[in-house]
């Protein structure tokens, strides 16, 4: 295989058979690296689709479950195929009596290869949730959740999208229902982005913002959207202290993993997603090329959500807060045009 160094021994192994302790060749020309942990990520249908492989040195690989990958024993060999023991022999000398001894050593006490233990990855920073005083910056809802929704929709008679969502929610809001939470976050986004009504959007979003992370990622996705939107609204209005509360709530689940090893893996995966966000460039360009303005607007709406999330996170190593603010402004103009 051309992507594996010719100077190292290797064989192929199904990705699904990889286990901690195996040595796998990462893409490129480097040596085989030892696997420390293997995690399986399922697709939306619950079927294993992707392996997240963490190396002993802290690096990670994403491998499709059905792939074949080059693995080895981690011992390099020279270009003629002789193993590293040949290099050891080149350092031996013959004693007058004819016995072979290692240079500077004793034939009866041979030493094995040195084992280099990589540095332990740093513990990810801990994000604490807001204090009781900070949470007090989020006002109590004006009436029942259903009343809040009805009040927000009352200002936008004739706007079909908002009215459909409001009518459905006004029948009863169940915060344990993922679809209900999604409707609430959709309503908040429509009110803010499409109808330019940030005050009612924030009131609706606050119905979600105070809900804790319960481990259900589907439900949390809607709450996360609402928190990012709320941070944006408050920062645009100069309410930086209240915006900071939403941002703390957004990041608080990141410190809930009690296992230090898993916490470090999660932090690396999260940082990679922040540094390499999906901003739907290909989809937007394709829609532009096809002259499909409605599809372009929908993809730009998703890009706007991603940018707001990044801004609520304080930016990333690749896009700072000033650049995020500029891009958010551009996308707002595009989706509102």
């Amino acid at each position: 295989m051309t992507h594996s160094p010719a100077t190292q021994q290797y064989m192929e192994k199904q990705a699904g058979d990889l286990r901690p302790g195996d040595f796998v060749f990462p893409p490129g020309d480097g040596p085989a690296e030892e696997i420390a942990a293997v995690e399986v990520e399922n697709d939306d249908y619950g079927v294993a689709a992707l392996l997240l492989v963490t190396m002993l040195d802290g690096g990670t690989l994403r491998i499709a479950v059905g792939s074949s990958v080059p693995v080895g024993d981690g011992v390099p060999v020279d270009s003629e195929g002789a193993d590293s023991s040949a290099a050891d022999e080149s350092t031996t000398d013959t004693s007058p009596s004819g016995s072979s001894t290692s240079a500077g050593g004793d034939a009866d006490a041979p030493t094995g290869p040195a084992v280099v233990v990589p540095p332990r990855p740093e513990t990810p920073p801990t994000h604490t949730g807001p204090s009781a005083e900070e949470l007090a910056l989020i006002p109590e809802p004006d009436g029942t959740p259903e009343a809040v929704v009805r009040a927000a929709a009352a200002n936008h008679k004739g706007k079909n999208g908002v009215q459909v969502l409001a009518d459905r929610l006004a029948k009863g809001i169940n915060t344990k229902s993922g679809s209900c939470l999604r409707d609430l976050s959709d309503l908040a986004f429509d009110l803010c982005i499409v109808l330019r009504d940030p005050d009612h959007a924030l009131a609706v979003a606050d119905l979600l913002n105070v809900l804790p992370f319960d481990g259900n990622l589907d439900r949390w996705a809607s709450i996360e959207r609402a928190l990012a939107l709320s941070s944006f609204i408050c920062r645009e209005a100069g309410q930086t202290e209240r915006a900071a509360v939403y941002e703390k709530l957004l990041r608080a689940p990141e410190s809930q993993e009690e296992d230090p090893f898993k916490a470090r893996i999660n932090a690396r995966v999260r940082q990679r997603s922040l540094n390499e966000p999906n901003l739907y460039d290909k989809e937007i360009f394709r829609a532009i090329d096809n002259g499909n303005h409605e599809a372009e607007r929908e993809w730009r709406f998703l890009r706007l959500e991603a940018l707001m999330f990044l801004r609520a996170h304080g930016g990333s190593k690749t896009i700072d807060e000033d650049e995020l603010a500029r891009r958010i402004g551009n996308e707002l103009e595009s989706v509102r045009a």
Side-chain angles (χ1 to χ4, degrees), residues 164-178:
V164 168
L165 286 170
D167 289 346
R168 190 156 62 221
L169 289 165
K171 295 176 182 177
I173 293 175
N174 177 10
T175 57
K176 296 296 184 182
S177 166

Side-chain angles (χ1 to χ4, degrees), residues 242-284:
R242 186 172 172 182
V245 176
Y246 295 125
E247 291 157 10
K248 284 187 176 183
L249 290 169
L250 179 70
R251 295 192 296 266
E254 297 173 7
S255 62
Q256 291 187 4
E257 176 56 63
E258 297 181 355
D259 183 281
F261 183 75
K262 289 184 178 179
R264 288 193 294 273
I265 293 177
N266 292 343
R268 282 196 295 270
V269 174
R270 183 165 53 251
Q271 189 60 54
R272 178 177 292 178
S273 70
L274 293 173
N275 293 341
E276 304 172 10
N278 181 6
L279 298 179
Y280 306 99
D281 294 333
K282 292 181 180 179
E283 293 84 354
I284 291 172

Side-chain angles (χ1 to χ4, degrees), residues 134-145:
E134 290 172 321
L135 284 173
L137 294 173
I138 302 177
E140 292 290 330
D142 186 10
T144 65

Side-chain angles (χ1 to χ4, degrees), residues 45-314:
Y45 294 94
V47 178
L50 193 68
L51 297 179
L52 178 63
V53 178
T54 303
M55 303 304 181
L56 199 61
D57 66 357
T60 58
L61 285 176
R62 293 179 298 171
I63 308 173
V65 169
S67 296
S68 294
V69 293
V71 297
D73 57 10
V75 180
V77 297
D78 61 26
S79 57
E80 283 74 32
D83 62 24
S84 57
S85 61
D88 295 336
E89 291 175 3
S90 65
T91 62
T92 61
D93 190 15
T94 303
S95 67
S97 63
S99 61
S100 177
T101 61
S102 300
D106 187 334
D108 294 330
T111 58
V115 177
V116 179
V117 179
R120 184 182 181 89
E122 295 183 3
T123 301
T126 299
H127 300 294
T128 57
S131 65
E133 292 77 10
E134 290 172 321
L135 284 173
L137 294 173
I138 302 177
E140 292 290 330
D142 186 10
T144 65
E146 292 79 9
V148 172
V149 167
R150 285 192 292 267
N155 283 2
H156 303 286
K157 300 292 186 181
K159 301 299 181 181
N160 188 58
V162 165
Q163 295 302 322
V164 168
L165 286 170
D167 289 346
R168 190 156 62 221
L169 289 165
K171 295 176 182 177
I173 293 175
N174 177 10
T175 57
K176 296 296 184 182
S177 166
S179 61
C180 182
L181 298 188
R182 181 71 188 194
D183 283 347
L184 281 169
S185 64
D186 284 345
L187 178 59
F189 264 91
D190 283 351
L191 287 167
C192 177
I193 306 303
V194 180
L195 301 178
R196 306 177 190 233
D197 184 356
D199 293 337
H200 281 105
L202 192 55
V204 171
D206 276 342
L207 299 175
L208 293 170
N209 293 334
V210 295
L211 299 176
F213 176 63
D214 63 359
N216 187 305
L217 295 178
D218 288 336
R219 285 200 295 271
W220 179 248
S222 296
I223 301 170
E224 200 173 52
R225 291 176 76 217
L227 287 166
L229 176 68
S230 302
S231 167
F232 166 76
I233 292 172
C234 289
R235 290 204 174 276
E236 292 295 297
Q239 300 179 40
T240 54
E241 291 184 355
R242 186 172 172 182
V245 176
Y246 295 125
E247 291 157 10
K248 284 187 176 183
L249 290 169
L250 179 70
R251 295 192 296 266
E254 297 173 7
S255 62
Q256 291 187 4
E257 176 56 63
E258 297 181 355
D259 183 281
F261 183 75
K262 289 184 178 179
R264 288 193 294 273
I265 293 177
N266 292 343
R268 282 196 295 270
V269 174
R270 183 165 53 251
Q271 189 60 54
R272 178 177 292 178
S273 70
L274 293 173
N275 293 341
E276 304 172 10
N278 181 6
L279 298 179
Y280 306 99
D281 294 333
K282 292 181 180 179
E283 293 84 354
I284 291 172
F285 290 141
R286 187 182 302 117
I288 292 173
D289 290 341
N290 294 334
N292 190 336
H293 301 300
E294 184 60 29
E296 179 190 348
R297 182 175 180 274
E298 292 298 324
W299 287 118
R300 287 189 180 277
F301 206 106
L302 291 174
R303 176 191 275 178
L304 178 61
E305 289 185 26
L307 291 170
M308 286 182 176
F309 174 81
L310 285 172
R311 189 181 184 188
H313 248 279

